[in-house]
């Protein structure tokens, strides 16, 4: 456990600040009721308004300002007046890439009290581990002869031995730790250069983990299996693009964007890891006080686990389940509780547990 971890708070746009308020309030309550926990939070108001005023998403030395933190807790970024590719390529990607957050970690866990579109969704509990630094999202390519009939667009997928290997090792470690099988999401039958190479490296790594059951499944079949047999997965390991798509499918199976957390992890610990909900700024509901804070709070739980407090992670999950069981639900889950009511209910059950109660 890092003593008094420093946490950079980046609320961002839209519902980001609304759900972040609930996460920050939770961290403050944990500090108050758990004598063994304290943290130092610093907020950064880099959002789309900052972009309008300054022509950039963060200050020139923004990454340097974040570098020394133990973790980054991020809300969401995006607004109508800022092109989507600007928020992605001038904010989220520089953080992920410069801080070598080469793992994207997304739990797909069905909590009691949440409705799933699946008839039998009990016991869905797996994690998608996505290579987060290269692959299909390498920003390599360009256009030729634009605006002519000969126009050509090229987007390169860059896969490296090192990049695949380190991500695969992380995924196999997780599978070993959890005692579950590892499913490699691939398409090497059709994408015969990059995906075949991906498989070769993953299979080489699998030899170092002979105790972990390994299987390779084509992405199209895998998407169907997510719906038909979601209980059969433990760790799903995927490239950047495949992992991105599968994550939203996984999230839809267990309650949708409002409840889905994620972590961008730098496994070496050299740089801060970043924790954020899967959802975006949700401009359609921003300012209405109805956003579900669960995804942000669950992401905060993942952050605490990463910082060495898996006990607090579990306690927060227990509190979410208890709040749901007590009937607390925001609109996306079919209820009518507000963001602050939902946040307060979860905090109440966290505090109760810190006071010794079993919830
Ligand atoms: P962005 O451009 O920032 O990604 P978006 O609208 O494209 O925003 P999301 O923000 O992910 O994408 O929202 C997709 C849908 O899910 C919206 O209808 C939104 O209202 C809903 N949604 C997202 N997050 C939440 C939440 N925390 N609570 C309730 N509904 C949510």
């Amino acid at each position: 456990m890092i003593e008094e971890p420093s946490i950079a708070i980046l609320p961002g746009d839209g519902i980001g600040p609304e759900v972040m308020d609930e996460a920050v309030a939770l961290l403050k309550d944990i500090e108050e009721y758990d004598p063994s926990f304290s943290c130092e939070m610093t907020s950064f108001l880099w959002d789309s308004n900052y972009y309008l005023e300054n022509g950039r998403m963060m200050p020139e030395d923004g990454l340097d300002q974040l570098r020394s933190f133990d973790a980054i807790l991020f809300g969401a970024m995006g607004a109508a007046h800022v092109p989507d590719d600007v928020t992605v390529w001038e904010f989220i990607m520089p953080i992920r890439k410069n801080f070598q957050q080469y793992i994207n970690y997304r739990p797909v866990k069905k909590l009691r009290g949440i409705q799933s579109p699946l008839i039998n969704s009990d016991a869905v509990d797996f994690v998608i581990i996505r290579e987060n630094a290269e692959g299909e999202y390498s920003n390599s390519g360009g256009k030729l002869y634009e605006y002519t009939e000969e126009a050509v667009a090229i987007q390169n997928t860059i896969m490296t031995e090192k990049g695949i290997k380190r991500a695969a090792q992380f995924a196999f470690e997780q599978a070993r730790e959890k005692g579950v099988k590892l499913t490699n999401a691939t398409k090497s039958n059709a994408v015969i250069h990059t995906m075949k190479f991906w498989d070769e490296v993953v299979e080489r790594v699998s030899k170092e983990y002979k105790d972990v059951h390994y299987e390779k499944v084509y992405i199209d079949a895998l998407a169907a299996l997510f719906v038909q047999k979601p209980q059969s997965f433990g760790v799903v390991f995927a490239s950047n693009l495949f992992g991105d798509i599968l994550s939203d499918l996984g999230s839809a199976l267990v309650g949708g964007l409002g409840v889905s957390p994620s972590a961008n992890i730098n496994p070496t610990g050299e740089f801060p890891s970043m924790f954020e909900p899967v959802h975006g700024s949700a401009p359609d509901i921003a300012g209405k006080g109805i956003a579900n804070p669960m995804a942000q709070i669950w992401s905060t739980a993942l952050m605490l686990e990463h910082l060495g407090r898996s006990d607090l992670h579990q306690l927060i999950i227990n509190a979410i389940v208890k709040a749901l069981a007590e009937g607390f639900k925001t609109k996306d889950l079919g209820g009518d509780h507000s963001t602050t009511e939902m946040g307060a209910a979860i905090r109440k059950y966290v505090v109760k547990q810190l006071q010794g109660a079993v919830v």
Side-chain angles (χ1 to χ4, degrees):
M1 167 69 193
I2 298 169
E3 285 291 315
E4 200 170 354
S6 56
I7 301 167
I9 304 284
L10 296 172
D13 290 310
I15 62 167
E18 299 172 41
V19 292
M20 185 65 87
D21 280 351
E22 301 307 313
V24 168
L26 174 64
L27 286 169
K28 286 186 177 157
D29 272 4
I30 296 176
E31 277 193 303
E32 189 179 338
Y33 290 93
D34 181 348
S36 69
F37 179 77
S38 73
C39 62
E40 198 186 302
M41 291 185 260
T42 309
S43 289
F44 294 86
L45 298 180
W46 301 336
D47 56 13
S48 298
N49 285 330
Y50 182 93
Y51 175 81
L52 273 192
E53 283 160 23
N54 301 282
R56 49 188 309 135
M57 292 304 300
M58 64 170 101
E60 221 165 310
D61 68 345
L63 291 174
D64 289 332
Q65 290 189 45
L66 295 176
R67 197 178 301 271
S68 59
F69 284 86
D70 293 312
I72 300 168
L73 189 59
F74 174 47
M77 197 66 99
H81 54 266
V82 184
D84 278 349
D85 59 335
V86 169
T87 42
V88 171
W89 285 104
E90 293 188 21
F91 188 81
I92 296 164
M93 289 299 184
I95 293 176
R96 285 184 183 174
K97 287 185 191 291
N98 282 283
F99 293 160
Q100 292 182 27
Q101 295 167 349
Y102 57 83
I103 296 295
N104 187 275
Y105 180 96
R106 294 192 180 180
V108 179
K109 184 178 168 68
K110 166 73 169 53
L111 299 182
R112 231 179 318 129
I114 288 186
Q115 237 190 331
S116 159
L118 300 174
I119 293 167
N120 176 15
S121 62
D122 288 347
V124 174
D125 185 2
F126 64 95
V127 45
I128 298 173
I129 294 178
R130 159 182 161 199
E131 197 294 312
N132 208 30
E134 52 178 47
E136 305 89 341
Y137 293 177
S138 296
N139 195 15
S140 161
K143 282 187 197 153
L144 286 175
Y145 318 123
E146 222 180 339
Y147 311 118
T148 72
E149 282 189 359
E150 281 77 40
V152 181
I154 296 171
Q155 176 91 37
N156 296 308
T157 293
I158 298 176
M159 292 200 173
T160 65
E161 171 96 23
K162 182 181 168 189
I164 303 167
K165 189 173 171 191
R166 63 187 182 180
Q169 281 169 333
F170 183 91
F172 274 101
E173 287 293 335
Q174 288 289 317
R176 176 179 275 168
E177 210 172 283
K178 296 179 201 295
V180 296
K181 80 171 170 187
L182 183 139
T183 305
N184 173 20
T186 186
K187 193 63 192 170
S188 48
N189 54 343
V191 185
I192 56 169
H193 301 295
T194 49
M195 285 316 301
K196 227 175 183 168
F197 178 55
W198 166 275
D199 283 359
E200 280 164 26
V201 180
V202 175
E203 268 150 41
R204 262 203 299 281
V205 173
S206 77
K207 302 284 185 284
E208 299 164 25
Y209 296 85
K210 289 211 163 79
D211 53 315
V212 176
H213 178 67
Y214 167 74
E215 68 177 8
K216 180 176 95 175
V217 181
Y218 293 129
I219 183 78
D220 37 355
L222 188 55
L225 286 172
F226 262 38
V227 176
Q228 292 163 340
K229 286 188 184 169
Q231 293 89 347
S232 69
F233 298 110
V235 167
V236 175
F237 179 53
S239 65
N240 220 332
L241 171 67
F242 289 175
D244 195 4
I245 297 168
L246 285 177
S247 304
D248 272 30
L249 175 56
S251 140
L253 298 180
V254 293
L257 291 174
V259 303
S260 302
S262 81
N264 300 288
I265 299 173
N266 167 240
T268 65
E270 191 183 349
F271 300 102
S273 295
M274 178 163 72
F275 302 82
E276 56 175 315
V278 171
H279 65 72
S281 59
D284 55 333
I285 56 165
K288 295 183 179 163
I290 58 169
N292 189 344
M294 271 175 54
Q296 186 76 58
I297 288 174
W298 196 339
S299 304
T300 308
L302 290 181
M303 177 184 78
L304 291 170
E305 186 177 42
H306 178 78
L307 293 170
R309 291 299 302 264
S310 39
D311 57 326
L312 292 175
H313 168 268
Q314 189 55 51
L315 201 136
I316 294 170
I317 302 296
N318 297 345
I320 292 174
V321 172
K322 177 71 176 168
L324 290 166
E326 293 294 307
F328 285 92
K329 281 182 188 161
T330 42
K331 195 158 176 247
D332 56 313
L333 300 181
D336 59 4
H337 288 95
S338 66
T339 308
T340 50
E341 285 167 341
M342 189 78 206
I346 296 169
R347 285 201 300 284
K348 182 171 100 183
Y349 295 116
V350 167
V351 169
K352 278 191 175 212
Q353 291 176 88
L354 289 173
Q355 290 171 327
V358 176
V359 301

